[in-house]
Amino acid sequence: MKRAVTRLANLDLNLLVILRELIRERNVTRAAERVGVTQPAASAALSRLRRHFGDELLVRGKGTYLLSPLATQLAEQVEVVCAAAERLFAAAEVFDPKGSRREFTLLVADYTIAVLGEHLGRLVDERAPGVGLHLRLVREAMATHIDENIRLMDGMISPPVGRFRTPDMRSAELFRDRWVCVVSGDNGLLGTDRPSLDDLARLSWVAPYHPDQGSTVAPIPRQLTIFGIRPNVAVRVESYQAVPHLVAGTDRIALLQERLARQVADRLGLRVLECPGNPEPIVEMLWWHANFDDDPGHVWLRDLLQEAARNLPAIA
């Protein structure tokens, strides 16, 4: 332990910020401008980072720099570490949203952004114009290790999952939704507005977050398992917002959250249909680590998220 502490004390933690901006910008001059140092200073920092990692990190390509495989690996880690450091040094007994420059990091699905983003963005702009939001799109690997990741960010918006319920996790309900079926208005294989489970079984699917094999906690594969359906999946996609675009103009079908489906149905020429089989309700919750319970800034963020959720229109 002493050796680890000594090693950390000997590191120049300013290099973390330089590393983050070099990876973001893939350009030494722009990274220097963002950090507020000279270009030679940023170049010297890149040289130190290259020596530390034993890797080029930025590799010269045709007219630009490319990330080395190691830099690509480091990209996510440095974002998380810098966000945690910023949060640590922003901690205080009071939180003034009007004057704060704090950045809050939330792990969310793109569905959540589509539903809640406008209301949340407007409230932050009105109440705390200097506060930043970093909305990171959830990936399966991040959710799998949520007990570790949640310590390094301000929270996650997700349905309730059993493995999230640990002594160190806290949660609060934000909003509810329900599953509907979406098909193209000119779908030639479905002649009814009330599809049956047999219809769901015979049609081709657009399926978000559908696993390669085995079980999954992803919501839509879970619903299909409950229905006893092994779908004929024509298109898999790691996005909810992409689903209606891949259904439009085809004979495919998909399950989608009603709030999202209603946003795009008219524009894309989709029919939104009742889902057979008594699907589970959708409950979206904010999850955070117990370490943030009494953090004034985090308390403010939680209240703001719940206010944004209350502003959502009711569903049928």
Side-chain angles (χ1 to χ4, degrees), residues 18 43 49 53 88 140 165 182 187 194 206-207 232 266 274:
I18 293 285
S43 294
L49 287 163
F53 289 106
L88 173 67
E140 186 70 21
R165 299 189 184 279
V182 290
N187 185 302
R194 300 188 67 84
V206 176
N232 172 23
D266 289 344
E274 289 292 322

Side-chain angles (χ1 to χ4, degrees), residues 31-54:
E33 291 172 352
R34 286 182 58 87
V35 177
V37 300
T38 64
Q39 195 272 346
S43 294
L46 175 58
S47 296
R48 292 177 63 189
L49 287 163
R50 283 169 166 168
R51 288 196 299 271
H52 176 82
F53 289 106

Side-chain angles (χ1 to χ4, degrees), residues 55-59 66-73:
D55 186 89
E56 283 297 294
L57 300 177
L58 296 184
V59 182
L66 305 174
L67 297 183
S68 73
L70 177 60
T72 301
Q73 275 186 317

Side-chain angles (χ1 to χ4, degrees), residues 1-8:
M1 176 63 74
K2 181 179 179 181
R3 181 179 296 177
V5 172
T6 302
R7 188 164 58 245
L8 181 60

Side-chain angles (χ1 to χ4, degrees), residues 183-187 247-249 264-271:
V183 296
S184 181
D186 57 359
N187 185 302
V247 170
V264 299
D266 289 344
R267 177 165 56 87
L268 296 178
L270 300 176
R271 286 189 288 160

Side-chain angles (χ1 to χ4, degrees), residues 105-293:
T105 301
L106 295 171
L107 187 63
V108 298
D110 64 346
Y111 151 70
T112 308
I113 295 174
V115 171
L116 199 62
E118 178 183 350
H119 304 279
L120 178 60
R122 185 170 60 247
L123 285 174
V124 171
D125 185 58
E126 292 171 356
R127 311 276 178 81
V131 163
L133 287 177
H134 183 188
L135 302 181
R136 304 183 64 199
L137 292 182
V138 68
R139 297 209 310 261
E140 186 70 21
M142 297 173 71
T144 299
H145 302 288
I146 193 60
D147 54 337
E148 301 171 11
N149 290 320
I150 199 70
R151 294 173 180 271
L152 300 173
M153 59 185 68
D154 292 285
M156 171 182 67
I157 299 177
S158 162
V161 176
R163 59 191 167 82
F164 295 170
R165 299 189 184 279
T166 68
D168 291 334
M169 291 285 279
R170 303 286 189 265
S171 64
E173 182 176 321
L174 291 179
F175 63 92
R176 295 194 171 217
D177 208 334
R178 66 184 191 127
W179 296 112
V180 294
C181 295
V182 290
V183 296
S184 181
D186 57 359
N187 185 302
L189 300 181
L190 186 68
T192 176
D193 286 339
R194 300 188 67 84
S196 66
L197 290 178
D198 287 340
D199 290 322
L200 269 56
R202 67 180 175 82
L203 292 171
S204 294
W205 281 77
V206 176
Y209 303 101
H210 194 75
D212 291 313
Q213 58 185 1
S215 61
T216 181
V217 297
I220 291 177
R222 173 180 167 80
Q223 293 306 309
L224 295 175
T225 299
I226 291 172
F227 296 160
I229 292 173
R230 298 185 64 180
N232 172 23
V233 178
V235 180
R236 294 191 301 164
V237 62
E238 306 303 302
S239 163
Y240 291 110
Q241 291 192 48
V243 169
H245 297 271
L246 297 167
V247 170
T250 75
D251 286 333
R252 302 176 190 132
I253 192 169
L255 280 184
L256 203 60
Q257 302 91 339
E258 183 175 10
R259 292 183 184 277
L260 177 55
R262 298 291 181 192
Q263 283 185 7
V264 299
D266 289 344
R267 177 165 56 87
L268 296 178
L270 300 176
R271 286 189 288 160
V272 179
L273 312 176
E274 289 292 322
C275 181
N278 297 316
E280 295 175 320
I282 300 169
V283 181
E284 292 293 321
M285 305 182 71
L286 172 66
W287 300 82
W288 70 93
H289 195 272
N291 288 345
F292 299 121
D293 279 351

Side-chain angles (χ1 to χ4, degrees), residues 12-24 31-32 34-37 45 49 78-79 81-82 85-86:
D12 180 357
L13 298 183
N14 290 318
L15 290 175
L16 279 173
V17 180
I18 293 285
L19 177 61
R20 179 180 65 178
E21 299 309 324
L22 286 168
I23 289 175
R24 283 178 173 178
R34 286 182 58 87
V35 177
V37 300
L49 287 163
V78 75
E79 290 285 351
V81 171
C82 285
E86 287 167 353

